[in-house]
Amino acid sequence: MNQKRGRQAIKRLSPDKKDEVQQKDVVKSKGKQQKEVKKAEDPVEKKGEQKIEKQQIIKGDDKKVKQVLEIEQKFELGDGKFSTPTIKIASWNVNGIRAATKREQAVQYLHDNKFDIICLNELKADQSVFDKENLGSKFGKHYVLYLNFCKTKGGYSGVGIASKVKPISIKCDIGIDKHDKEGRTLTAEYEKFYLVACYVPNAGQKLERLDYRTKEWDVDFQNYLEDLKKKKPTILCGDLNVSHHEIDLANPAGNKKTAGFTQQERDQFTNYLQKGWIDTFRHLHPKEVKYSYFSARNNSRQENKGWRLDYFIINKEVTNAIIVSDINTNIEGSDHVPIECEVDLRKL
């Protein structure tokens, strides 16, 4: 990430590490930058598209300097109304937006006019990279982009939504500090439903994050979704980093202690669905073997040895609104392939 200098407001980051944080605000409006000293009683308010970037330089005990970029965006909003009775939504873990968009087929997919919404996982970029490399140009002009980047390090995590219709509201993250640093969720509110684009934390190669994933993230995220569906029908989509049943991966016997197929992760997913949610692909295709992720090793994709990690989930009260839920294995550009669904808005 870029490092910038400016006036500093120092505060304690951690009483254990005795880290110090230096902050400044940079206001961007319509492509121009202005540096301002933040006033406690005079918040910045301007018309038009505007972003406030908080740059934090963290000095740790090892005297290494790390930079954290937090972005508070004033998103472009609207009435959330679609003009058609049905809409098509795609979700794709691109495993790095820069790398994916170097593939012509991936760019063509992101320009495809047939989708009303495209959700993206694992952007592996931040706002400065997105702007510098003009990555927004890789999307069709009919889309408005909404992005939530990782706030603790560059080139990690991040989610996005490209939408033809401007939502009523956009919410980054779930409002719990310990979960909100990695840019894992983006919630768009439309007239008739909520859409949550999500990239669930991986338990890790050595399962070092398994407890966090299953005992903290899963619990709090499920509660967040439960609260949403009390207000409107809710669609969750993205890389949920779990293969629920043995039919959902090519080698279940050899992966029972592998992240994404541990019993703990599968049990939590079962618990979530039992609260009144539907795995739309498995609902429509109860016996079909199809995968959304293929390791780059051992010719996994060519030999169809993969995992189904990506899902469209909807609350069961409106299950009949799902017309199509499928996995598009024809698209290349990532170790994941896109998943796609069609929704009948009249049944929401």
Side-chain angles (χ1 to χ4, degrees):
M1 293 184 181
N2 294 330
Q3 294 190 1
K4 302 176 184 177
R5 293 176 294 180
R7 295 191 177 181
Q8 301 167 344
I10 300 175
K11 65 178 183 180
R12 291 287 179 189
L13 178 69
S14 166
D16 296 325
K17 295 186 178 180
K18 296 183 180 179
D19 293 347
E20 293 181 345
V21 180
Q22 302 167 338
Q23 291 188 333
K24 72 177 181 180
D25 287 346
V26 179
V27 179
K28 291 183 180 178
S29 181
K30 297 182 179 178
K32 297 181 180 179
Q33 294 189 0
Q34 289 181 315
K35 294 184 179 180
E36 293 189 1
V37 179
K38 188 175 181 181
K39 299 179 182 179
E41 296 180 356
D42 185 23
V44 179
E45 292 186 4
K46 289 188 178 182
K47 293 182 179 180
E49 297 180 16
Q50 187 180 78
K51 292 179 285 186
I52 302 175
E53 298 182 357
K54 286 187 178 180
Q55 183 181 358
Q56 301 178 321
I57 299 175
I58 304 172
K59 294 181 178 178
D61 290 339
D62 58 3
K63 296 184 179 180
K64 292 181 181 178
V65 178
K66 297 179 181 179
Q67 179 173 301
V68 178
L69 187 65
E70 289 185 351
I71 298 176
E72 299 174 0
Q73 282 186 310
K74 290 190 174 180
F75 292 109
E76 193 173 344
L77 302 176
D79 61 9
K81 295 181 179 180
F82 292 90
S83 60
T84 55
T86 65
I87 60 170
K88 293 181 179 179
I89 308 172
S91 178
W92 191 13
N93 180 325
V94 292
N95 190 27
I97 188 66
R98 287 176 289 177
T101 52
K102 291 177 181 177
R103 303 287 292 269
E104 183 179 353
Q105 190 182 43
V107 175
Q108 289 176 349
Y109 191 83
L110 296 177
H111 274 78
D112 199 330
N113 192 53
K114 74 179 180 182
F115 296 112
D116 297 279
I117 305 170
I118 299 178
C119 298
L120 299 175
N121 302 155
E122 208 170 358
L123 296 174
K124 290 185 176 181
D126 58 33
Q127 186 69 57
S128 61
V129 169
F130 214 88
D131 293 342
K132 182 179 179 181
E133 300 189 19
N134 195 24
L135 294 174
S137 67
K138 305 298 184 180
F139 296 80
K141 293 182 179 180
H142 43 277
Y143 292 121
V144 179
L145 289 182
Y146 305 91
L147 305 167
N148 184 19
F149 300 105
C150 178
K151 304 163 189 66
T152 55
K153 55 184 174 181
Y156 182 71
S157 191
V159 292
I161 294 176
S163 179
K164 286 182 180 178
V165 168
K166 297 173 186 177
I168 297 168
S169 68
I170 286 283
K171 178 180 174 64
C172 293
D173 310 310
I174 64 172
I176 299 175
D177 185 64
K178 65 180 176 180
H179 302 314
D180 290 353
K181 295 179 174 67
E182 297 179 355
R184 294 283 179 180
T185 67
L186 197 58
T187 302
E189 179 188 5
Y190 293 95
E191 179 191 20
K192 293 192 172 184
F193 66 99
Y194 286 106
L195 176 67
V196 182
C198 180
Y199 175 42
V200 168
N202 190 293
Q205 288 187 345
K206 297 181 180 180
L207 302 181
E208 63 273 13
R209 298 191 84 186
L210 180 60
D211 281 351
Y212 164 71
R213 157 68 187 274
T214 57
K215 296 179 181 179
E216 298 179 53
W217 167 272
D218 283 345
V219 173
D220 291 335
F221 185 51
Q222 289 174 22
N223 289 337
Y224 174 75
L225 295 170
E226 287 293 306
D227 287 341
L228 285 182
K229 79 171 184 179
K230 293 174 184 177
K231 304 170 188 176
K232 287 183 181 182
T234 300
I235 300 170
L236 166 66
C237 66
D239 178 359
L240 304 189
N241 260 318
V242 63
S243 288
H244 191 202
H245 297 297
E246 291 193 356
I247 191 177
D248 296 318
L249 73 165
N251 181 19
N255 284 289
K256 291 186 177 180
K257 294 184 179 181
T258 302
F261 198 61
T262 65
Q263 196 61 51
Q264 296 95 314
E265 291 166 297
R266 296 167 64 196
D267 287 348
Q268 274 289 14
F269 195 62
T270 297
N271 177 64
Y272 165 52
L273 296 180
Q274 287 178 345
K275 292 178 180 178
W277 299 86
I278 299 296
D279 171 358
T280 60
F281 176 83
R282 190 55 67 208
H283 175 72
L284 295 177
H285 311 278
K287 296 182 179 180
E288 185 172 355
V289 175
K290 210 168 186 179
Y291 308 124
S292 64
Y293 164 79
F294 302 90
S295 169
R297 297 172 292 180
N298 303 321
N299 295 317
S300 296
R301 184 161 183 169
Q302 291 81 355
E303 297 181 12
N304 195 34
K305 294 180 179 179
W307 299 56
R308 189 170 74 95
L309 299 175
D310 302 82
Y311 297 78
F312 276 103
I313 308 289
I314 195 168
N315 56 294
K316 68 177 183 180
E317 294 84 356
V318 289
T319 304
N320 62 350
I322 299 295
I323 303 169
V324 173
S325 183
D326 209 347
I327 302 170
N328 188 343
T329 55
N330 297 317
I331 303 299
E332 297 184 355
S334 170
D335 51 1
H336 289 249
V337 296
I339 57 174
E340 301 168 357
C341 80
E342 185 174 358
V343 182
D344 189 337
L345 297 178
R346 295 165 297 189
K347 296 181 180 180
L348 292 178

